[in-house]
Amino acid sequence: MQYQHIFHSFLHILNEMSPYVLLGFLIAGLLHVFVNEDTLTRHLSGNGWKSVVKAAAIGIPLPLCSCGVLPTAVSLRRQGASKAATTSFLIATPQTGVDSIAATYSLLGLPFALIRPIAALTGAIFGGVAVGKLAPDKDGNKKPSASSIEESKKESIFKKLKESIRYGFFDMIDSMGKWLVIGLVIATLITIFVPDSFFVGLRQYPLVAMIAVVLIAVPMYICATGSIPIAMSLMLKGLSPGVAFVMLMAGPAANFASILILDKTQGRKATAIYVCSVIITAIAFGLVIDFLLPSSWFTINAATDSHSAHMHMGWFETVCSIVLGLLLLFSFVKKFISKLKFKNISQTDMTKTYKIEGMNCSHCRASVEKAIASLQGVDSVEVDLSSGLATVSGEIEDHKITEAVRLAGFDISIG
């Protein structure tokens, strides 16, 4: 009976999210293909507040997680984006995204969905301006190249749409699938096993509860979409909407892996400003929600509870859940096969294996592959995300590969 209760709770949360998540993945693919990186860089090369605002506005709809945004930001920085604009982009991007905003609306309602990007924009501008004032660039920015723009123009619309679907429904699933499932499982377990009385005491002290959530959320890794069902479950158990909002914002924006990489690429002072901006903004907006805005805006319908989950499973939502489930299964099977493949690779004089540290998603993997493949002498390169191994074929010196990978924002050692 208990297992059936858990199953119904999980299915209900999944059905509520799946249509919006799939829509978000589609839009994510379109953004990835039709919005050129060099175009972005031209608007992010200054140290003033305009470049900071532009970086935040660009980052908010992009569906990149806190690890996936790092290689993108490193690439933008290398092509000419300022440190202030890069910091703004780093803060805004992982906290939101078209997929997570849509999923937020589906589970938590319109007020949460509207306030989330506003808070991300505010924190990104605050952090970016602070970095521009306290840790500005000491050297000039490079001009972006137009080569990728010319290459993009040669592609047909059909090929771009095909690439959009591939990226949105396969690469994005590879990147976020595990964390989305973890978020759903944690939400289900909280809903079923955590007694309502556990949060009664904390409800009287929302600021203390927010600080506690920050201490839990910042070290862990959870994507912007995966944090939504967790926040919903916490509200159902008695925590205030403001505390749930802190989980939505602080969890996806910072984790130990991203902090370590930022320390190497942005500097210690900029990294400290980044973390403080995320925490301060999340708590500030959480307090606004709890004390200044009508509580009726943030009421979750009782039907959201798992006890009535079996009554609200429409056919469209069920089909979307099945499609999302199949995509997740395909992603997990593909990763398993890839892991087995890399275990059977043999070393030769023309093939070497390198251990890459710091990869957490498909965006990281793609950045490493691109960095190594661009080197003269490399015939082919394959990077396995699960094992962290990069297999390189060709005649090229180790120090060149090491330099290219480290410039991309990752650590490397010879396997």
Side-chain angles (χ1 to χ4, degrees):
M1 187 65 181
Q2 185 72 21
Y3 291 113
Q4 186 179 12
H5 190 38
I6 295 174
F7 181 70
H8 278 299
S9 178
F10 181 85
L11 278 186
H12 176 67
I13 297 174
L14 178 62
N15 275 17
E16 288 287 329
M17 291 182 63
S18 57
Y20 297 92
V21 172
L22 290 176
L23 175 62
F25 283 146
L26 175 60
I27 299 175
L30 295 174
L31 285 173
H32 174 75
V33 172
F34 288 95
V35 179
N36 190 275
E37 189 176 86
D38 285 337
T39 302
L40 300 183
T41 306
R42 285 201 300 272
H43 294 279
L44 307 182
S45 58
N47 282 302
W49 66 269
K50 289 184 179 180
S51 64
V52 169
V53 173
K54 288 180 180 179
I58 290 169
I60 284 175
L62 296 180
L64 294 175
C65 56
S66 59
C67 71
V69 72
L70 293 172
T72 305
V74 169
S75 175
L76 292 175
R77 174 78 174 140
R78 190 169 308 284
Q79 294 185 55
S82 66
K83 188 185 293 185
T86 303
T87 301
S88 178
F89 182 82
L90 282 166
I91 294 173
T93 307
Q95 291 182 331
T96 57
V98 290
D99 56 330
S100 61
I101 293 174
T104 301
Y105 171 73
S106 70
L107 282 188
L108 300 178
L110 183 61
F112 267 116
L114 293 177
I115 295 175
R116 195 173 190 182
I118 293 173
L121 179 65
T122 303
I125 293 174
F126 172 76
V129 170
V131 167
K133 297 291 185 181
L134 302 177
D137 292 304
K138 294 182 180 180
D139 52 1
N141 298 106
K142 297 186 298 182
K143 296 291 184 181
S145 169
S147 59
S148 61
I149 298 178
E150 295 298 328
E151 183 179 349
S152 177
K153 288 180 179 179
K154 297 178 182 178
E155 296 181 352
S156 66
I157 293 296
F158 177 77
K159 187 175 181 180
K160 288 184 177 181
L161 290 175
K162 183 179 178 181
E163 172 65 15
S164 299
I165 293 174
R166 184 200 62 79
Y167 179 83
F169 291 115
F170 294 96
D171 285 358
M172 284 296 299
I173 293 288
D174 289 344
S175 173
M176 297 172 54
K178 179 174 71 173
W179 307 111
L180 177 59
V181 172
I182 289 174
L184 288 168
V185 171
I186 292 175
T188 303
L189 295 178
I190 290 174
T191 301
I192 299 298
F193 292 107
V194 178
D196 296 343
S197 58
F198 182 82
F199 294 112
V200 171
L202 283 178
R203 185 176 177 85
Q204 301 175 5
Y205 307 99
L207 181 58
V208 175
M210 290 176 191
I211 294 174
V213 167
V214 166
L215 293 176
I216 295 172
V218 169
M220 65 185 280
Y221 179 90
I222 190 74
C223 71
T225 303
S227 66
I228 299 168
I230 298 178
M232 184 196 71
S233 297
L234 293 177
M235 287 180 62
L236 290 174
K237 290 300 179 181
L239 284 179
S240 69
V243 176
F245 188 80
V246 172
M247 168 59 76
L248 285 176
M249 304 306 289
N255 58 71
F256 283 149
S258 62
I259 291 172
L260 290 175
I261 294 176
L262 283 175
D263 183 57
K264 295 178 181 179
T265 58
Q266 292 283 92
R268 186 157 299 177
K269 185 179 291 186
T271 302
I273 294 173
Y274 166 83
V275 175
C276 289
S277 299
V278 169
I279 295 174
I280 291 172
T281 305
I283 292 179
F285 273 83
L287 293 173
V288 168
I289 288 173
D290 280 347
F291 294 103
L292 298 182
L293 298 179
S295 59
S296 59
W297 287 7
F298 306 97
T299 301
I300 297 180
N301 195 300
T304 306
D305 199 348
S306 60
H307 291 289
S308 57
H310 62 283
M311 299 174 59
H312 301 274
M313 293 187 182
W315 68 267
F316 178 72
E317 291 80 2
T318 301
V319 169
C320 289
S321 296
I322 293 173
V323 172
L324 181 59
L326 291 175
L327 289 172
L328 288 168
L329 179 62
F330 177 80
S331 174
F332 295 151
V333 171
K334 183 175 66 174
K335 288 181 180 180
F336 178 74
I337 294 175
S338 177
K339 191 173 183 179
L340 292 178
K341 173 184 173 183
F342 272 78
K343 283 184 178 180
N344 297 323
I345 292 178
S346 59
Q347 294 275 46
T348 66
D349 293 337
M350 296 290 292
T351 302
K352 291 186 178 180
T353 301
Y354 301 85
K355 179 67 176 178
I356 312 296
E357 301 289 346
M359 295 191 303
N360 295 293
C361 68
S362 61
H363 299 285
C364 305
R365 174 188 55 77
S367 296
V368 172
E369 284 186 345
K370 182 178 179 181
I372 297 176
S374 64
L375 298 174
Q376 186 175 2
V378 173
D379 295 329
S380 65
V381 55
E382 290 186 84
V383 179
D384 179 57
L385 183 61
S386 58
S387 64
L389 295 178
T391 301
V392 182
S393 299
E395 295 183 357
I396 186 167
E397 298 174 354
D398 292 335
H399 73 89
K400 293 183 179 180
I401 293 179
T402 300
E403 181 182 4
V405 172
R406 287 178 176 167
L407 285 174
F410 302 91
D411 286 332
I412 180 174
S413 59
I414 300 177

